[in-house]
Amino acid sequence: MNETDARRLTGLAGIATAAALIVEVPLYFVYSGPPPDSNVLARLLIGILALAFLTVFVTAFRELVKRANPAYEWVGTMVFAAGLVYSTITLVSSGLEAGAVIATDHPIDPTIAVEGTYILYGSIGRLMLALFLTAVGYGISRTDLLPRWTGRSAFVLAGLNLAFVPSLFFGNTPAHFYAANGWGTTALMGAILSYWLLALGISVYRSAARRPLP
């Protein structure tokens, strides 16, 4: 695969990840009480698809960093590893939620009822995303892979995620902004990530048109 095709694949994977996340996040706010099983399972399925696309994105991004400057291949590998760990953690959380909903004969709110997901979605996920975003920002800034704003915005978003890591000390009420499973810790950070990925994916895809075929 030449660099132009690699950039297109990376861009499309980023856009697809973002699109799935943008559809998923609002589904958490449709019902004020325990949502019906259909709502929970639908949003989990969309989230699983988003993570599959994210796996493609981090794999292709690693190759782009390697092509841009082989000396920074290790940074691309860190992006890949952190992205894969984040995807795995979130997939485990999704599995726990789906299992609880399927096994229960009445509607439950898995963001409260499934205790094992509190810091998986929260503090652990925020820390892994901070590492992922820091590596993305560093890789872009050192290789000139993309416009500067993409790297700088990655650093800013990494800092925001780090700020939510201590949220595990602040209870388990989803309606609270800063809690282990609060809407700021999970939904807001997920929404910001989705729109950032959309912008990044578009930037990568458009960059393919400016790269001559080898």
Side-chain angles (χ1 to χ4, degrees), residues 85-86 88-90 92-94 96-97 110-112 114-129 161 164-173 179-182 185-186:
V85 170
Y86 171 75
T88 302
I89 289 170
T90 310
V92 170
S93 301
S94 299
L96 291 172
E97 283 197 6
T111 62
I112 300 174
V114 186
E115 299 172 356
T117 66
Y118 288 173
I119 66 167
L120 290 176
Y121 279 132
S123 297
I124 295 175
R126 300 286 69 77
L127 185 59
M128 288 299 101
L129 267 183
N161 276 273
F164 281 91
V165 172
S167 62
L168 78 166
F169 292 104
F170 294 88
N172 65 327
T173 304
N181 57 342
T185 309
T186 56

Side-chain angles (χ1 to χ4, degrees), residues 33-174:
D37 291 359
S38 58
N39 172 271
V40 177
L41 296 178
R43 71 196 190 198
L44 290 176
L45 178 59
I46 295 170
I48 291 168
L49 290 174
L51 294 169
F53 292 132
L54 182 62
T55 301
V56 176
F57 174 81
V58 298
T59 304
F61 189 87
R62 176 180 62 176
E63 294 303 312
L64 284 183
V65 173
K66 179 180 177 180
R67 286 172 180 266
N69 190 332
Y72 289 95
E73 181 181 357
W74 66 272
V75 180
T77 300
M78 185 173 293
V79 171
F80 171 76
L84 200 61
V85 170
Y86 171 75
S87 296
T88 302
I89 289 170
T90 310
L91 285 170
V92 170
S93 301
S94 299
L96 291 172
E97 283 197 6
V101 169
I102 293 171
T104 305
D105 59 3
H106 60 276
I108 62 171
D109 184 351
T111 62
I112 300 174
V114 186
E115 299 172 356
T117 66
Y118 288 173
I119 66 167
L120 290 176
Y121 279 132
S123 297
I124 295 175
R126 300 286 69 77
L127 185 59
M128 288 299 101
L129 267 183
L131 178 59
F132 164 74
L133 290 162
T134 300
V136 169
Y138 187 76
I140 291 173
S141 64
R142 290 296 180 177
T143 62
D144 293 324
L145 185 64
L146 293 167
R148 290 182 180 179
W149 69 264
T150 57
R152 291 172 180 171
S153 61
F155 287 131
V156 171
L157 190 51
L160 288 174
N161 276 273
L162 280 177
F164 281 91
V165 172
S167 62
L168 78 166
F169 292 104
F170 294 88
N172 65 327
T173 304

